[in-house]
Amino acid sequence: MKAGAMLRKVKSRSWKKQRHFRLQEDGQTIWYKSRWAGTGHSTFSVADVDVVREGHQSEILLSIADEFPADLCFTLVFRGRRSNLDLVAESPSEAQVWIRGVRKLIQNTESMNDKERLDQWIWDWFQKADKNKDGRMNFKEVRTLLKMMNVDMNEEYALRLFTMADKSESGCLENEEFVQFYKMLTEREDVWRVFQDYSRDGQILTLAELEDFLKQEQQEGERSLEHAQELIDRYEPSENAKKHGAMSIDGFQMYLVSPESAVLDPQLLALHQDMSQPLSHYFICSSHNTYLMDDQLRGQSSQEAYIQALKRGCRCVEVDCWDGPNGEPVVYHGHTFTSKILFRDVITTLAEYAFKVSEFPVILSLENHCSMEQQRVMAQLLDTILGDTLLTAPLDRLVPQELPSPQDLKGKVLLKAKKIGGLEESETLTDEVTDEVSDEDEADPKSLSKSKLSRELSDLVVYCKSVHFHSFEYSRLHSKCYEMSSFSESKARKLAKDTGAEFVRHNSRQLSRVYPSGMRTDSSNYNPQELWNVGCQIVALNFQTAGLEMDLNDGLFSQNGCCGYVLKPDFMRNDDSFDPERPQDRNGYTSLRLSIQLVCFVISGQQLPKVNQKEGSIVDPLVRVEIYGVFQDQAKQETSYIDNNGFNPLWNETLNFIVHVPELALVRFVVEDYDKASRNDFMGQFTVPFTCIQPGYRHIHLLSKDGTAIPLSSLFVNIKISELTTEV
């Protein structure tokens, strides 16, 4: 791989171009260019590759299967929303070199511990800064390095650090000397101050001192002593300190940057909630027009969109079905220029990927625009491809009084669609004319025409029968637990504002689905929080569009094993009257004070991506903390900005919030590059459910706009949560 190879990069059946690919010396970066590109080239990190698919395992490679056999083809699937890279090798052996090689590199990257990641990061910087590739770095190269790292450092101070690290007095830093230079550059004054507050001699934390820190700052309880010993055993690098039951500053820093000390409680990351309650008692991770990779008018429809959504924990996917040629139903956004894919291929993809990330049920939301004949084809395809995973009858053959639980429905696909009659009625063998239409067509008066449902398709609907919503009173008196309605975002918002408490009660018994306005042709999203506030379970978003709304969605569903189901608060699951507009009226109401001291913004690894790529430009970062929840909890505060320091800016500012309904609140940390002349540029964010926050000194590991990790980049904060003693 380091010697390089010519591979065909394939974008379509007509676009197949040769590129020279080569693994760089760092063993982590793949470089490629066209032979005609001059000095121009592209690179990507192996760490950005999620998986390597072998053979014709993409729509693009399948389209050229008649030209290139499967043993020449492979696909690199990237993390986040980046497009796949489809490649064709010159020979089967060459393909295997790259398939096995990239897989091995991915495995190596994923198995690295924190020290190995740091060593790799230092080596990467050394390679970038060593412009003449002589294995040494002079002071001019060091000054260039500092600019690359987002550091605007006084030249005299930089020279002093350089001279201190230059033990050989050669005027250049070799590898080990560069490591020393890096350590001096990244000394954590913020962590040192915390360490000094609890260390009597300023050199180590005794077991008792570490226990005191865990009790006082990390708000740990009775097992602080036991935990202190565990931390020393786990993180202390000095055997001598370990032997004396103590922790050095190095061990203390390793603990503070570990996943164990992250802002999101790792115990709540795992599957831990009660999964035996009715489906209506959970928020369900849901996608709108799942087949689209881009906008709603001309975007590409793709099976890959379903794979990506399911990998993100999505448990409700949507399929828009229309009559296709040769009796084969197709999936696309009707009456637009979006491309078409076969319904058969969508269901095949669902069968393969539905339960790779989560074992809990997938709801297949069917928008049916097909003729009777092709509806029967759809029913046959669903039955034959999904087999036993498709739920086709009530559990135990009993008519339910309440919906079954995610636990009961593990490994099952549930069809959400129109249904002839109900579960209580005896089967007949006739089709039926109905005045009900596809859910989302209800918002379009032109679509309100009678349509026919096939009995074969209708019979596959069990617990998710789509019905028209009349009123909350009508639903309370007449609706069955297995009947559910879909609402446009505007209709759902109005109901939430006008009759929030009734909406909450309705959603304790029945499922509700909310979908984006038809005016969002750019695939933008609405804020899901206000619909979660009234207990709507299936709040469908355009997963292909990054931004605040998907950050909130990813934040909510980051807990409970990322299984796509989050148990609603108990006051939304019973008949208690909870009104999100008046949270103080609920039983057991207690508001909390959230205090966040932004101690330091740390980049202990790769720097935040520069928004302005102009050489020499350095960011002016600020941090904004945003609270999303019930109306009374919506709040934003931000720090001042720090001039010219994207490497280790210090704020030492405290932000305070009052939170009335912590069970529904999400806290979003955003880092931006301040610009006095225009809008600030986004740099990174992290969103966490309030109830999953660990108090104390914590690191917040930042994500890109795309939702992927920015390696080793974080905020260092001190979080305190307390009950209010007086009403505010």
Side-chain angles (χ1 to χ4, degrees):
M1 291 175 70
K2 287 183 177 178
M6 294 301 296
L7 303 173
R8 280 185 178 85
K9 181 181 176 183
V10 185
K11 288 187 176 180
S12 68
R13 188 169 176 82
S14 59
W15 198 103
K16 305 180 285 288
K17 306 238 174 130
Q18 286 202 321
R19 296 286 184 265
H20 185 241
F21 283 77
R22 186 174 72 236
L23 179 66
Q24 300 285 69
E25 285 301 315
D26 63 3
Q28 289 291 307
T29 306
I30 293 177
W31 172 102
Y32 66 97
K33 64 172 286 188
S34 162
R35 67 176 68 180
W36 317 113
T39 58
H41 66 273
S42 300
T43 63
F44 60 86
S45 171
V46 171
D48 295 332
V49 182
D50 184 38
V51 71
V52 183
R53 294 189 200 145
E54 191 170 351
H56 297 144
Q57 290 199 57
S58 77
E59 290 155 287
I60 289 173
L61 291 179
L62 274 171
S63 72
I64 59 168
D66 58 340
E67 189 176 354
F68 298 104
D71 59 6
L72 299 181
C73 300
F74 61 99
T75 302
L76 303 185
V77 180
F78 291 94
R79 302 180 192 277
R81 295 174 176 84
R82 181 173 175 175
S83 298
N84 294 349
L85 183 57
D86 290 304
L87 298 169
V88 178
E90 294 291 321
S91 68
S93 59
E94 189 76 68
Q96 283 302 311
V97 165
W98 283 84
I99 290 167
R100 291 201 300 265
V102 175
R103 283 175 176 167
K104 180 63 176 174
L105 291 170
I106 293 172
Q107 183 182 0
N108 291 347
T109 300
E110 291 177 344
S111 63
M112 281 183 181
N113 59 33
D114 289 342
K115 184 180 183 305
E116 289 169 334
R117 290 181 196 278
L118 183 58
D119 290 345
Q120 179 66 49
W121 184 87
I122 295 173
W123 171 248
D124 290 347
W125 276 121
F126 188 87
Q127 292 291 103
K128 289 175 184 176
D130 183 17
K131 295 295 186 184
N132 59 8
K133 303 303 177 189
D134 63 353
R136 304 189 304 169
M137 196 162 52
N138 59 37
F139 184 62
K140 182 180 178 181
E141 289 172 325
V142 165
R143 283 187 300 172
T144 302
L145 167 70
L146 294 176
K147 294 287 186 183
M148 293 164 65
M149 283 178 153
N150 259 336
V151 180
D152 185 20
M153 183 178 288
N154 176 280
E155 188 164 326
E156 184 179 340
Y157 179 60
L159 181 59
R160 187 160 78 247
L161 290 183
F162 180 89
T163 304
M164 290 168 64
D166 182 16
K167 300 295 185 185
S168 63
E169 299 182 356
S170 64
C172 291
L173 301 182
E174 297 185 5
N175 193 281
E176 290 305 314
E177 293 172 326
F178 177 69
V179 171
Q180 184 61 32
F181 173 80
Y182 168 80
K183 285 184 176 178
M184 289 189 288
L185 183 67
T186 57
E187 282 182 355
R188 293 285 303 275
E189 182 184 347
D190 52 318
V191 173
W192 178 253
R193 287 176 184 168
V194 178
F195 185 84
Q196 292 292 306
D197 286 344
Y198 285 86
S199 172
R200 187 173 59 185
D201 67 1
Q203 299 301 311
I204 61 165
L205 288 173
T206 65
L207 186 63
E209 288 167 346
L210 181 56
E211 179 193 9
D212 191 29
F213 169 78
L214 295 176
K215 279 185 177 178
Q216 299 299 322
E217 300 294 348
Q218 309 300 74
Q219 297 185 26
E220 294 189 10
E222 290 303 313
R223 69 177 298 267
S224 294
L225 179 61
E226 179 186 350
H227 191 209
Q229 185 60 58
E230 290 172 359
L231 294 180
I232 291 171
D233 294 339
R234 193 173 302 137
Y235 298 110
E236 177 51 51
S238 166
E239 290 300 324
N240 187 49
K242 269 188 187 178
K243 190 165 60 177
H244 290 88
M247 179 173 273
S248 66
I249 180 64
D250 290 337
F252 188 64
Q253 184 165 319
M254 287 179 69
Y255 155 63
L256 285 179
V257 299
S258 71
E260 184 171 353
S261 191
V263 68
L264 202 165
D265 188 338
Q267 292 186 356
L268 302 183
L269 272 175
L271 184 67
H272 67 280
Q273 294 181 343
D274 177 7
M275 303 304 289
S276 64
Q277 301 205 26
L279 280 179
S280 55
H281 288 185
Y282 297 83
F283 296 120
I284 303 172
C285 188
S286 306
S287 163
H288 170 254
N289 286 1
T290 313
Y291 48 89
L292 286 177
M293 299 286 284
D294 205 330
D295 67 72
Q296 307 284 314
L297 295 179
R298 296 178 178 274
Q300 177 192 0
S301 301
S302 172
Q303 296 150 240
E304 193 64 41
Y306 287 93
I307 297 172
Q308 296 301 326
L310 291 166
K311 280 168 61 178
R312 291 176 79 108
C314 183
R315 296 287 89 189
C316 180
V317 297
E318 185 177 7
V319 184
D320 274 349
C321 300
W322 300 78
D323 281 356
N326 305 316
E328 284 267 11
V330 293
V331 175
Y332 83 114
H333 197 202
H335 310 301
T336 68
F337 296 101
T338 57
S339 62
K340 300 173 182 177
I341 53 178
L342 292 177
F343 178 78
R344 175 194 302 272
D345 291 341
V346 170
I347 304 307
T348 300
T349 300
L350 183 63
E352 183 175 355
Y353 288 93
F355 303 107
K356 289 201 170 185
V357 168
S358 170
E359 59 188 345
F360 295 106
V362 170
I363 297 171
L364 181 61
S365 181
L366 187 66
E367 294 290 311
N368 174 19
H369 305 272
C370 289
S371 63
M372 292 291 295
E373 292 75 14
Q374 294 209 11
Q375 286 183 49
R376 294 189 181 104
V377 173
M378 287 163 57
Q380 182 184 18
L381 290 171
L382 287 165
D383 186 47
T384 55
I385 296 172
L386 295 178
D388 291 341
T389 62
L390 180 66
L391 189 78
T392 58
L395 300 177
D396 301 323
R397 300 285 171 177
L398 299 174
V399 176
Q401 299 304 305
E402 65 176 15
L403 287 168
S405 70
Q407 182 71 29
D408 295 332
L409 296 167
K410 271 186 179 179
K412 293 296 184 182
V413 174
L414 279 59
L415 187 64
K416 182 195 84 68
K418 304 296 180 183
K419 182 176 179 66
I420 302 168
L423 297 179
E424 298 84 357
E425 300 172 30
S426 60
E427 292 188 7
T428 62
L429 298 176
T430 62
D431 302 317
E432 184 172 295
V433 176
T434 174
D435 59 359
E436 295 195 31
V437 295
S438 166
D439 286 341
E440 295 187 23
D441 284 343
E442 289 188 358
D444 182 4
K446 295 192 302 292
S447 302
L448 295 180
S449 57
K450 290 189 176 182
S451 58
K452 244 188 172 185
L453 281 176
S454 82
R455 166 62 66 177
E456 293 88 344
L457 192 60
S458 168
D459 285 349
L460 300 181
V461 178
V462 183
Y463 293 122
C464 298
K465 176 186 176 181
S466 296
V467 298
H468 175 74
F469 176 77
H470 298 279
S471 69
F472 291 126
E473 182 181 11
Y474 181 91
S475 296
R476 188 169 62 253
L477 295 174
H478 303 290
S479 293
K480 310 295 183 183
C481 68
Y482 57 82
E483 295 178 333
M484 60 176 292
S485 299
S486 291
F487 305 87
S488 68
E489 61 173 280
S490 56
K491 184 174 182 179
R493 274 205 192 104
K494 188 173 189 314
L495 289 169
K497 183 174 178 56
D498 296 345
T499 52
E502 287 190 75
F503 214 165
V504 172
R505 279 194 296 273
H506 173 85
N507 287 326
S508 69
R509 302 184 306 272
Q510 292 174 260
L511 294 175
S512 291
R513 175 177 173 269
V514 183
Y515 57 89
S517 163
M519 302 299 289
R520 295 185 182 274
T521 56
D522 59 351
S523 293
S524 60
N525 281 309
Y526 55 96
N527 187 330
Q529 184 68 54
E530 54 192 304
L531 289 318
W532 292 329
N533 288 344
V534 290
C536 293
Q537 302 87 352
I538 302 176
V539 181
L541 298 178
N542 292 307
F543 270 45
Q544 70 272 36
T545 305
L548 162 66
E549 298 81 11
M550 278 304 299
D551 291 345
L552 297 180
N553 195 78
D554 290 344
L556 175 65
F557 291 104
S558 62
Q559 60 185 307
N560 203 34
C562 296
C563 74
Y565 286 83
V566 169
L567 188 64
K568 293 196 285 190
D570 57 359
F571 54 80
M572 303 185 91
R573 308 195 305 260
N574 51 40
D575 290 330
D576 288 353
S577 180
F578 170 70
D579 186 344
E581 296 291 317
R582 296 186 54 80
Q584 63 273 20
D585 292 348
R586 73 178 169 95
N587 294 333
Y589 164 77
T590 303
S591 59
L592 298 177
R593 181 187 298 278
L594 172 67
S595 173
I596 300 170
Q597 181 188 9
L598 284 145
V599 182
C600 178
F601 174 43
V602 181
I603 300 180
S604 52
Q606 181 178 322
Q607 84 282 10
L608 281 178
K610 288 186 180 182
V611 183
N612 183 352
Q613 293 297 328
K614 184 179 178 181
E615 190 168 345
S617 67
I618 295 176
V619 300
D620 306 319
L622 63 80
V623 177
R624 186 171 59 255
V625 179
E626 305 168 346
I627 310 292
Y628 294 89
V630 298
F631 179 76
Q632 292 183 36
D633 289 344
Q634 307 280 353
K636 297 179 183 180
Q637 293 184 44
E638 64 183 39
T639 67
S640 56
Y641 66 90
I642 305 295
D643 278 321
N644 292 334
N645 191 344
F647 188 72
N648 59 352
L650 286 161
W651 282 282
N652 284 319
E653 298 182 33
T654 300
L655 310 177
N656 289 293
F657 300 89
I658 305 300
V659 179
H660 299 271
V661 188
E663 299 91 338
L664 288 173
L666 294 167
V667 184
R668 184 172 183 251
F669 299 85
V670 189
V671 183
E672 292 182 342
D673 180 11
Y674 173 76
D675 192 328
K676 64 182 178 183
S678 62
R679 188 175 180 179
N680 294 348
D681 292 313
F682 174 89
M683 295 173 67
Q685 71 83 32
F686 190 79
T687 304
V688 58
F690 185 100
T691 54
C692 294
I693 290 176
Q694 292 198 100
Y697 284 98
R698 304 295 174 186
H699 278 85
I700 300 168
H701 299 281
L702 296 172
L703 305 176
S704 69
K705 186 175 183 180
D706 205 30
T708 55
I710 305 172
L712 304 176
S713 301
S714 59
L715 291 170
F716 186 43
V717 299
N718 185 9
I719 295 176
K720 297 185 185 300
I721 300 173
S722 58
E723 287 190 14
L724 285 181
T725 53
T726 57
E727 187 61 42
V728 176

